[in-house]
Short mmCIF file of all heavy atoms in Angstrom, two decimals:
data_model
loop_
_atom_site.label_atom_id
_atom_site.label_comp_id
_atom_site.label_asym_id
_atom_site.label_seq_id
_atom_site.Cartn_x
_atom_site.Cartn_y
_atom_site.Cartn_z
N PHE T 24 181.44 72.74 33.74
CA PHE T 24 182.24 71.78 34.45
C PHE T 24 181.67 70.33 34.48
O PHE T 24 182.25 69.51 35.15
CB PHE T 24 182.52 72.33 35.92
CG PHE T 24 183.40 73.55 35.81
CD1 PHE T 24 182.84 74.77 35.82
CD2 PHE T 24 184.74 73.49 35.82
CE1 PHE T 24 183.62 75.98 35.71
CE2 PHE T 24 185.51 74.59 35.63
CZ PHE T 24 184.93 75.84 35.56
N ILE T 28 184.70 71.05 30.90
CA ILE T 28 185.94 71.07 31.73
C ILE T 28 185.77 70.03 32.86
O ILE T 28 185.59 70.48 33.98
CB ILE T 28 186.15 72.59 32.22
CG1 ILE T 28 185.85 73.59 31.20
CG2 ILE T 28 187.62 72.67 32.85
CD1 ILE T 28 185.81 75.03 31.70
N PRO T 32 190.77 67.60 39.12
CA PRO T 32 191.66 68.66 39.36
C PRO T 32 193.10 68.17 39.88
O PRO T 32 194.09 68.87 39.77
CB PRO T 32 191.05 69.41 40.48
CG PRO T 32 189.78 68.65 40.93
CD PRO T 32 189.54 67.69 39.85
N GLY T 39 192.99 68.16 33.74
CA GLY T 39 192.89 68.44 35.14
C GLY T 39 193.26 69.86 35.42
O GLY T 39 192.56 70.64 36.13
N ALA T 40 194.32 70.32 34.85
CA ALA T 40 194.86 71.67 35.11
C ALA T 40 193.84 72.72 34.63
O ALA T 40 193.76 73.84 35.28
CB ALA T 40 196.22 71.96 34.48
N GLY T 41 192.96 72.34 33.68
CA GLY T 41 192.03 73.23 33.10
C GLY T 41 191.08 73.67 34.20
O GLY T 41 190.34 74.75 33.96
N THR T 42 190.90 72.96 35.20
CA THR T 42 189.86 73.25 36.27
C THR T 42 190.38 74.34 37.21
O THR T 42 189.62 74.95 37.95
CB THR T 42 189.50 71.96 37.07
OG1 THR T 42 190.63 71.57 37.78
CG2 THR T 42 188.81 70.85 36.20
N HIS T 43 191.66 74.43 37.25
CA HIS T 43 192.34 75.14 38.31
C HIS T 43 191.95 76.64 38.38
O HIS T 43 191.67 77.19 39.52
CB HIS T 43 193.84 75.06 38.29
CG HIS T 43 194.31 73.59 38.63
ND1 HIS T 43 195.59 73.22 38.77
CD2 HIS T 43 193.51 72.55 38.97
CE1 HIS T 43 195.56 71.95 39.14
NE2 HIS T 43 194.40 71.51 39.20
N PRO T 44 192.01 77.36 37.28
CA PRO T 44 191.75 78.80 37.44
C PRO T 44 190.44 79.19 38.10
O PRO T 44 190.38 79.95 39.01
CB PRO T 44 191.74 79.32 35.97
CG PRO T 44 192.48 78.39 35.18
CD PRO T 44 192.27 77.06 35.86
N LYS T 45 189.36 78.47 37.73
CA LYS T 45 188.06 78.67 38.32
C LYS T 45 187.94 78.28 39.79
O LYS T 45 187.20 78.88 40.59
CB LYS T 45 186.90 78.14 37.41
CG LYS T 45 186.54 78.90 36.21
CD LYS T 45 185.87 80.29 36.53
CE LYS T 45 185.61 81.07 35.37
NZ LYS T 45 185.05 82.50 35.68
N MET T 46 188.68 77.23 40.11
CA MET T 46 188.74 76.73 41.44
C MET T 46 189.47 77.75 42.34
O MET T 46 189.00 78.02 43.45
CB MET T 46 189.39 75.38 41.60
CG MET T 46 188.58 74.27 41.01
SD MET T 46 189.56 72.65 41.04
CE MET T 46 189.34 72.19 42.72
N VAL T 47 190.54 78.31 41.80
CA VAL T 47 191.17 79.32 42.60
C VAL T 47 190.35 80.56 42.87
O VAL T 47 190.28 81.13 43.94
CB VAL T 47 192.53 79.67 41.89
CG1 VAL T 47 193.25 80.93 42.52
CG2 VAL T 47 193.57 78.50 41.82
N GLU T 48 189.71 80.91 41.73
CA GLU T 48 188.84 82.09 41.85
C GLU T 48 187.64 81.83 42.89
O GLU T 48 187.38 82.69 43.67
CB GLU T 48 188.24 82.34 40.47
CG GLU T 48 187.38 83.65 40.39
CD GLU T 48 186.54 83.78 39.09
OE1 GLU T 48 185.57 83.00 38.87
OE2 GLU T 48 186.97 84.69 38.35
N ALA T 49 187.16 80.64 42.84
CA ALA T 49 186.16 80.32 43.86
C ALA T 49 186.61 80.38 45.23
O ALA T 49 185.93 80.95 46.09
CB ALA T 49 185.60 78.87 43.49
N LEU T 50 187.80 79.90 45.43
CA LEU T 50 188.38 79.89 46.82
C LEU T 50 188.67 81.37 47.22
O LEU T 50 188.35 81.65 48.42
CB LEU T 50 189.72 79.06 46.71
CG LEU T 50 190.18 78.44 48.10
CD1 LEU T 50 189.06 77.62 48.57
CD2 LEU T 50 191.43 77.51 47.71
N ASN T 51 189.14 82.16 46.26
CA ASN T 51 189.23 83.57 46.60
C ASN T 51 187.91 84.26 47.05
O ASN T 51 187.98 85.05 48.00
CB ASN T 51 189.90 84.32 45.44
CG ASN T 51 191.34 84.05 45.31
OD1 ASN T 51 192.03 83.70 46.28
ND2 ASN T 51 191.85 84.24 44.20
N PHE T 52 186.85 83.86 46.35
CA PHE T 52 185.51 84.47 46.78
C PHE T 52 185.16 84.00 48.16
O PHE T 52 184.64 84.80 48.91
CB PHE T 52 184.52 83.99 45.77
CG PHE T 52 184.57 84.60 44.37
CD1 PHE T 52 184.07 83.94 43.21
CD2 PHE T 52 185.19 85.87 44.17
CE1 PHE T 52 184.15 84.50 41.96
CE2 PHE T 52 185.19 86.45 42.89
CZ PHE T 52 184.69 85.75 41.85
N LEU T 53 185.48 82.74 48.47
CA LEU T 53 185.19 82.27 49.78
C LEU T 53 186.01 83.01 50.85
O LEU T 53 185.46 83.39 51.90
CB LEU T 53 185.44 80.77 49.88
CG LEU T 53 184.55 79.87 48.96
CD1 LEU T 53 184.91 78.35 49.07
CD2 LEU T 53 183.02 80.06 49.29
N TYR T 54 187.30 83.20 50.64
CA TYR T 54 188.20 83.91 51.56
C TYR T 54 187.65 85.30 51.81
O TYR T 54 187.47 85.79 52.94
CB TYR T 54 189.64 83.92 50.99
CG TYR T 54 190.39 82.80 51.46
CD1 TYR T 54 190.29 81.45 50.87
CD2 TYR T 54 191.42 82.80 52.50
CE1 TYR T 54 191.05 80.35 51.27
CE2 TYR T 54 192.13 81.79 52.81
CZ TYR T 54 191.89 80.50 52.23
OH TYR T 54 192.64 79.40 52.65
N ASP T 55 187.34 85.94 50.72
CA ASP T 55 186.90 87.35 50.77
C ASP T 55 185.54 87.44 51.54
O ASP T 55 185.31 88.33 52.39
CB ASP T 55 186.73 87.98 49.38
CG ASP T 55 188.05 88.22 48.70
OD1 ASP T 55 189.05 88.08 49.44
OD2 ASP T 55 188.07 88.46 47.49
N GLY T 56 184.62 86.47 51.25
CA GLY T 56 183.34 86.46 51.77
C GLY T 56 183.24 86.40 53.22
O GLY T 56 182.37 86.94 53.94
N ASP T 61 195.21 85.11 54.38
CA ASP T 61 195.76 84.23 53.40
C ASP T 61 196.32 82.87 54.06
O ASP T 61 196.32 81.84 53.44
CB ASP T 61 196.91 84.89 52.64
CG ASP T 61 196.35 85.98 51.70
OD1 ASP T 61 195.12 85.93 51.45
OD2 ASP T 61 197.16 86.87 51.27
N ILE T 65 190.55 77.14 53.99
CA ILE T 65 189.19 76.84 53.93
C ILE T 65 189.11 75.50 53.28
O ILE T 65 189.62 75.26 52.16
CB ILE T 65 188.44 77.95 53.02
CG1 ILE T 65 188.36 79.24 53.89
CG2 ILE T 65 186.99 77.47 52.79
CD1 ILE T 65 187.64 80.38 53.17
N ILE T 67 187.03 72.47 51.58
CA ILE T 67 185.78 72.25 50.85
C ILE T 67 185.22 70.84 51.36
O ILE T 67 186.01 69.83 51.37
CB ILE T 67 186.06 72.18 49.35
CG1 ILE T 67 186.73 73.44 48.86
CG2 ILE T 67 184.65 71.98 48.64
CD1 ILE T 67 185.98 74.79 49.14
N MET T 232 192.75 68.71 49.33
CA MET T 232 192.63 69.77 50.34
C MET T 232 193.84 69.66 51.38
O MET T 232 193.69 69.79 52.56
CB MET T 232 191.39 69.46 51.15
CG MET T 232 190.05 69.81 50.47
SD MET T 232 189.87 71.54 50.14
CE MET T 232 189.35 71.41 48.36
N VAL T 240 187.36 66.65 44.61
CA VAL T 240 186.53 67.79 44.73
C VAL T 240 185.44 67.87 43.71
O VAL T 240 185.86 67.67 42.51
CB VAL T 240 187.28 69.06 44.82
CG1 VAL T 240 186.49 70.38 44.96
CG2 VAL T 240 188.41 69.09 45.96
N ASP T 241 184.28 68.25 44.06
CA ASP T 241 183.24 68.47 43.03
C ASP T 241 183.42 69.84 42.47
O ASP T 241 183.04 70.89 42.99
CB ASP T 241 181.85 68.39 43.79
CG ASP T 241 180.67 68.58 42.81
OD1 ASP T 241 180.89 69.22 41.69
OD2 ASP T 241 179.56 68.14 43.17
N VAL T 242 184.15 69.92 41.36
CA VAL T 242 184.56 71.24 40.81
C VAL T 242 183.34 72.10 40.52
O VAL T 242 183.29 73.25 40.80
CB VAL T 242 185.48 71.02 39.52
CG1 VAL T 242 185.92 72.44 38.99
CG2 VAL T 242 186.68 70.16 39.88
N ALA T 243 182.41 71.56 39.77
CA ALA T 243 181.26 72.40 39.42
C ALA T 243 180.59 73.14 40.67
O ALA T 243 180.32 74.24 40.63
CB ALA T 243 180.20 71.51 38.70
N SER T 244 180.42 72.14 41.69
CA SER T 244 179.74 72.73 42.91
C SER T 244 180.61 73.76 43.61
O SER T 244 180.21 74.73 44.11
CB SER T 244 179.47 71.63 43.84
OG SER T 244 178.47 70.84 43.18
N MET T 245 181.98 73.47 43.58
CA MET T 245 182.92 74.39 44.27
C MET T 245 182.91 75.83 43.50
O MET T 245 182.85 76.89 44.13
CB MET T 245 184.32 73.91 44.20
CG MET T 245 185.31 74.77 44.85
SD MET T 245 186.98 74.01 44.99
CE MET T 245 187.94 75.37 45.49
N VAL T 246 182.86 75.81 42.16
CA VAL T 246 182.79 76.99 41.35
C VAL T 246 181.52 77.72 41.69
O VAL T 246 181.39 78.94 41.87
CB VAL T 246 182.94 76.66 39.87
CG1 VAL T 246 182.49 77.86 38.99
CG2 VAL T 246 184.30 76.19 39.54
N GLY T 247 180.35 76.87 41.81
CA GLY T 247 179.08 77.49 42.16
C GLY T 247 179.02 78.07 43.50
O GLY T 247 178.54 79.17 43.67
N MET T 248 179.61 77.39 44.48
CA MET T 248 179.67 77.84 45.83
C MET T 248 180.50 79.22 45.92
O MET T 248 180.09 80.18 46.62
CB MET T 248 180.19 76.83 46.72
CG MET T 248 180.39 77.41 48.23
SD MET T 248 180.58 76.09 49.42
CE MET T 248 182.24 75.52 49.10
N GLY T 249 181.60 79.24 45.13
CA GLY T 249 182.35 80.47 45.19
C GLY T 249 181.60 81.66 44.72
O GLY T 249 181.51 82.76 45.38
N LEU T 250 180.93 81.41 43.58
CA LEU T 250 180.17 82.52 42.93
C LEU T 250 178.99 82.90 43.85
O LEU T 250 178.64 84.07 44.08
CB LEU T 250 179.73 82.18 41.47
CG LEU T 250 178.92 83.27 40.79
CD1 LEU T 250 179.80 84.66 40.74
CD2 LEU T 250 178.54 82.85 39.43
N MET T 252 178.83 82.73 47.02
CA MET T 252 179.34 83.54 48.18
C MET T 252 179.59 84.98 47.72
O MET T 252 179.16 85.92 48.40
CB MET T 252 180.71 82.86 48.65
CG MET T 252 181.34 83.71 49.71
SD MET T 252 180.51 83.69 51.28
CE MET T 252 181.21 82.22 52.15
N LYS T 253 180.23 85.19 46.57
CA LYS T 253 180.37 86.59 46.06
C LYS T 253 179.06 87.23 45.88
O LYS T 253 178.93 88.40 46.42
CB LYS T 253 181.10 86.48 44.78
CG LYS T 253 181.36 87.79 44.00
CD LYS T 253 182.23 87.53 42.79
CE LYS T 253 182.56 88.92 42.05
NZ LYS T 253 181.43 89.31 41.17
#
Side-chain angles (χ1 to χ4, degrees):
F24 295 91
I28 317 171
T42 62
H43 292 184
K45 282 288 178 188
M46 287 175 81
V47 170
E48 186 186 72
L50 210 48
N51 284 334
F52 289 152
L53 296 177
Y54 271 75
D55 290 348
D61 289 347
I65 293 182
I67 304 302
M232 293 290 136
V240 177
D241 179 342
V242 180
S244 293
M245 180 174 168
V246 169
M248 176 162 70
L250 182 57
M252 176 70 89
K253 177 174 179 275

